[in-house]
Amino acid sequence: MGLMIDYARPDGRAARGYYVAGARGANQPGIVVVQEWWGVNSQIKGSADRLAESGYRVLVPDLFRGKATLDEAEAEHMMHNLDFEEAATQDIRGAVQHLKPKGKVGVVGFCMGGALAVLTAATTPEADAVVSWYGVPPEEALDVAKVTAPLQGHFALQDTFFPIASVDALDRRLQQRGVAHEFHRYDAGHAFGNETGANHDPDATEQAWDRTLRFFGRHIG
């Protein structure tokens, strides 16, 4: 069972997040989990718990400062009010820095958090591996030349929020710059890995989780 903790952002301000660790506690690599637009709810905490059970210290930055919702319109409103650059360079990078003294650290994000995870790959040199589930940032927001961490992506062919064409464009840009990455595409809809959502696809979810854990195993231990 996890708990809410405070940690420092690079600018010195305090941030909060959901923290959970596996049986070996501090003697484990770390993973920062970046929320969907619903907030830090029970579903995203469950994803963090799953990673902890797999042997990681996990921290989920609370980007919405305690707010969570089940209403799509409210979730969209909260997402549009979020400063993505600040979230990536302060809240998420601060979470990576908080975990880093005890070992290597990965980042994984879902939906909105997936786009933020990709941004983090270019803004957080402390990150050792980054995974995005069905999220890519706008082309103009990402300088692929600054991506230093190995990157893995899991994307839905029927995604209407993050069209697969935008994934293909990012794939080409990363290839052109020689950035180490692997993108996987699934015959599924957006947020297929969220077991509480209408598009949940159990087979795609388990395949994506298996690939995610193997990727982190290779790069952060």
Side-chain angles (χ1 to χ4, degrees):
M1 193 69 179
L3 70 161
M4 297 299 292
I5 67 167
D6 295 319
Y7 65 92
R9 304 186 343 163
D11 63 5
R13 293 173 56 191
R16 283 182 65 77
Y18 174 78
Y19 176 80
V20 60
R24 292 188 291 119
N27 298 315
Q28 302 172 119
I31 294 178
V32 173
V33 173
V34 192
Q35 67 186 62
E36 295 189 0
W37 68 356
W38 308 112
V40 179
N41 58 12
S42 59
Q43 191 278 327
I44 204 69
K45 289 178 180 178
S47 296
D49 294 344
R50 178 172 184 162
L51 288 165
E53 291 167 2
S54 296
Y56 297 98
R57 295 169 295 127
V58 187
L59 181 54
V60 188
D62 185 359
L63 302 180
F64 291 162
R65 309 292 188 260
K67 295 180 180 179
T69 185
L70 296 174
D71 181 76
E72 184 171 320
E74 185 179 4
E76 185 173 11
H77 177 72
M78 290 192 295
M79 180 185 72
H80 286 313
N81 283 340
L82 180 69
D83 184 329
F84 270 54
E85 181 179 1
E86 180 181 355
T89 62
Q90 297 297 327
D91 294 82
I92 300 171
R93 187 179 184 187
V96 173
Q97 291 175 339
H98 180 80
L99 296 175
K100 188 72 174 186
K102 301 292 181 62
K104 290 185 176 182
V105 180
V107 178
V108 59
F110 301 84
C111 183
M112 176 192 83
L116 282 165
V118 177
L119 288 177
T120 298
T123 59
T124 301
E126 298 90 347
D128 297 293
V130 175
V131 179
S132 170
W133 285 51
Y134 31 80
V136 294
E139 182 174 340
E140 66 274 10
L142 177 67
D143 183 351
V144 294
K146 294 182 179 179
V147 176
T148 56
L151 180 64
Q152 185 184 70
H154 303 278
F155 303 105
L157 293 172
Q158 277 77 55
D159 199 324
T160 56
F161 287 92
F162 295 96
I164 202 66
S166 63
V167 174
D168 295 340
L170 176 58
D171 196 358
R172 288 192 296 270
R173 291 172 65 206
L174 292 168
Q175 289 178 17
Q176 290 167 0
R177 294 295 305 195
V179 176
H181 72 289
E182 57 182 73
F183 281 2
H184 303 281
R185 296 161 176 81
Y186 303 82
D187 188 12
H190 179 71
F192 62 79
N194 187 327
E195 68 278 7
T196 69
N199 290 335
H200 179 52
D201 186 315
D203 292 337
T205 298
E206 287 310 306
Q207 188 175 30
W209 268 113
D210 179 68
R211 287 168 166 164
T212 296
L213 291 171
R214 289 177 184 273
F215 183 78
F216 281 139
R218 291 196 305 271
H219 293 289
I220 67 173

